[in-house]
Amino acid sequence: MKNQSVSNNIDWITISLYVALVTLGWMTIYSADMTPNSAYYFDFNQNYGKQLIFIAFTVLLIIVILTIDAKFYERFASVLFGSSLLLLAGLFLFGKTIAGQRCWYAIGGFTLQPSEFAKAATALALAKYLSDPQINLKNLNHQILALLIMGLPILLILPQPDPGSALIFMMFILVLNREGLPTWYLWSGFGAVVLFVMSLLLKPQYVILISFILVALHYFKSRRINRNIIASALVFIAMAGFTLSVDYVFENVFKQHHRDRFNILLGKEVDMSGVGYNTNQSEIAIGSGGWLGKGYLEGTQTKGNFVPEQHTDYIFTTVGEEWGFAGSSVLVLLFVALILRVIYLAENQKTKFSRVYGYGVAAVLFTHFFVNISMVIGIFPTIGVPLPFLSYGGSSLWGFTILLFIFVKMDANKVNEW
């Protein structure tokens, strides 16, 4: 097979979706920060001016990523992963604390958040490990090593504390599931979340009774396939033990602001002026946009600075207020199109390494997109997760760009792979 030019095989659909989201992101940041005294677009003292600098560096970053040989990312996946772990560990000694979180390195007048870059490194490390022909995720030892790769960044990120970023890394479980990890891992995780929420809403004895009924029903339903009663009993004991531990973990491990956010989300507390203020104001802003919005730069909630962090984690509120349901739907469709495009391209890769990495990209983008918008509209606790390509910040933009364009390079190179 002839060596074809990679540049002729770049997926321009993916790049077009990326450019559209970055452009809409800058426009929304400008709208969120623009004041009557804003003189021009290139005011580098304002967030929208700084974001232009970040975008300019992003162009250079893309050129570098697309210039490097695609095999580099596979060859040095372990080195990149190890370097990302060192950067995360270094935060405990050299990190800058902002709003109670030690998540950034201060470099001059800017800050850099290594967890944003660790996502691409972790996706590469998982792809490298799983592409080994000898690895089989039906094997317990191989499962443990794969989960360890996914879990190491989480262990370094949780104490910062940064539960939002830790959640993103947890969602690599979707990639492992796609590559053969037994489905019970996924269902166990989902069940643990349901049990956790139930234990916060109901008395422990009620949750344990419900657990017993569910395990008993499942046992009697599957007796014909030699279901082991001991295994069912162990599952029930585990569920009961988890239920009884929730109260201790919630009261002694979670910080107060995390407890408050969960209580407000579950309706156990009402605090519209304190912890619940952000979510309440974001819902008001989005609701005020109606079907077609108030118009670009015309958002009264946005201009009144009613929603804190509106240029970062809550940037979707500006979209909802100024562009309304119609504009918000277009933005959602752009994200869905990008994620589905990445999945489609991943399924058509010629190497397992590229396929697994592509699914890692899709998992990270989907989790960020889903959690951020769910958080803004009040159906998920506020945990500080940016909206990809829209939220203000160099680390966020560069991290997502690196994540996506490494895959764009891999996909373009598949014409030269057997």
Side-chain angles (χ1 to χ4, degrees):
M1 182 176 181
K2 287 186 177 182
N3 187 46
Q4 298 184 31
S5 173
V6 170
S7 61
N8 294 332
N9 294 281
I10 289 177
D11 186 68
W12 290 104
I13 295 177
T14 299
I15 292 180
S16 297
L17 292 168
Y18 166 83
V19 171
L21 288 169
V22 171
T23 302
L24 290 173
W26 183 84
M27 291 173 61
T28 311
I29 293 169
Y30 177 76
S31 179
D33 274 11
M34 193 266 303
T35 67
N37 297 323
S38 299
Y40 51 98
Y41 299 133
F42 302 100
D43 185 350
F44 300 123
N45 292 316
Q46 301 295 328
N47 289 322
Y48 54 81
K50 294 176 184 177
Q51 190 73 2
L52 281 177
I53 298 176
F54 299 149
I55 292 172
F57 275 102
T58 299
V59 175
L60 297 176
L61 195 60
I62 291 171
I63 293 172
V64 171
I65 292 171
L66 295 181
T67 301
I68 295 174
D69 183 3
K71 292 295 182 183
F72 169 88
Y73 302 109
E74 181 174 5
R75 193 174 300 120
F76 291 95
S78 300
V79 174
L80 294 171
F81 180 61
S83 299
S84 71
L85 293 179
L86 287 175
L87 286 172
L88 289 172
L91 288 170
F92 297 107
L93 295 175
F94 309 109
K96 180 179 181 180
T97 301
I98 300 175
Q101 293 181 311
R102 202 176 182 86
C103 304
W104 295 268
Y105 287 108
I107 304 174
F110 294 95
T111 56
L112 206 63
Q113 188 173 3
S115 62
E116 295 294 345
F117 305 98
K119 294 163 189 173
T122 304
L124 286 171
L126 281 173
K128 176 74 172 179
Y129 178 69
L130 296 176
S131 62
D132 186 330
Q134 297 181 355
I135 298 302
N136 182 354
L137 287 181
K138 303 299 182 185
N139 181 297
L140 180 60
N141 290 332
H142 296 170
Q143 293 172 16
I144 293 173
L145 286 174
L147 292 170
L148 184 63
I149 292 172
M150 184 184 81
L152 284 175
I154 297 173
L155 293 176
L156 292 171
I157 288 170
L158 275 176
Q160 293 176 2
D162 186 4
S165 293
L167 174 64
I168 304 303
F169 285 89
M170 291 177 187
M171 296 310 291
F172 280 117
I173 193 74
L174 298 174
V175 180
L176 299 182
N177 183 257
R178 164 63 181 81
E179 295 304 319
L181 187 74
T183 307
W184 71 263
Y185 279 97
L186 201 59
W187 283 112
S188 296
F190 176 76
V193 172
V194 173
L195 269 181
F196 182 83
V197 173
M198 287 176 61
S199 299
L200 293 178
L201 292 172
L202 304 173
K203 292 182 178 180
Q205 54 267 37
Y206 295 147
V207 179
I208 292 174
L209 177 60
I210 293 171
S211 300
F212 176 78
I213 293 172
L214 290 175
V215 171
L217 288 173
H218 187 263
Y219 169 75
F220 286 114
K221 181 181 178 182
S222 43
R223 272 192 311 174
R224 295 179 182 177
I225 56 173
N226 299 320
R227 193 69 174 178
N228 192 330
I229 190 171
I230 296 178
S232 297
L234 290 174
V235 169
F236 169 68
I237 292 171
M239 293 173 72
F242 180 84
T243 300
L244 294 173
S245 71
V246 166
D247 186 62
Y248 175 83
V249 171
F250 190 69
E251 295 296 333
N252 295 280
V253 177
F254 280 39
K255 292 187 177 295
Q256 184 61 47
H257 63 278
H258 292 143
R259 293 197 294 270
D260 292 339
R261 287 167 182 172
F262 269 100
N263 287 333
I264 290 170
L265 180 68
L266 297 174
K268 298 174 70 175
E269 293 181 9
V270 177
D271 182 10
M272 295 307 182
S273 60
V275 175
Y277 177 80
N278 287 21
T279 301
N280 181 52
Q281 291 299 322
S282 68
E283 291 175 355
I284 291 173
I286 292 173
S288 69
W291 287 99
L292 300 176
K294 298 175 181 176
Y296 183 56
L297 304 179
E298 299 297 329
T300 53
Q301 295 292 117
T302 295
K303 295 296 172 283
N305 294 319
F306 287 99
V307 184
E309 306 300 330
Q310 196 158 3
H311 59 294
T312 54
D313 297 341
Y314 282 83
I315 196 166
F316 187 72
T317 61
T318 302
V319 176
E321 181 180 20
E322 297 189 343
W323 300 346
F325 178 81
S328 299
S329 297
V330 170
L331 180 61
V332 168
L333 288 174
L334 285 173
F335 271 112
V336 171
L338 177 60
I339 294 166
L340 290 178
R341 184 65 181 175
V342 170
I343 292 174
Y344 169 79
L345 294 176
E347 280 296 329
N348 286 276
Q349 295 303 300
K350 295 184 178 180
T351 66
K352 188 173 183 179
F353 177 80
S354 298
R355 185 186 74 221
V356 174
Y357 181 77
Y359 269 96
V361 174
V364 170
L365 292 178
F366 169 76
T367 307
H368 267 275
F369 157 72
F370 178 79
V371 172
N372 178 273
I373 292 181
S374 298
M375 176 184 74
V376 169
I377 63 178
I379 61 174
F380 201 88
T382 300
I383 55 174
V385 172
L387 189 59
F389 312 120
L390 267 80
S391 293
Y392 167 81
S395 296
S396 172
L397 179 60
W398 296 336
F400 288 124
T401 298
I402 291 171
L403 178 78
L404 180 63
F405 275 84
I406 287 177
F407 181 63
V408 169
K409 175 66 176 184
M410 291 179 183
D411 179 69
N413 191 67
K414 71 175 182 289
V415 296
N416 296 324
E417 296 175 338
W418 289 95

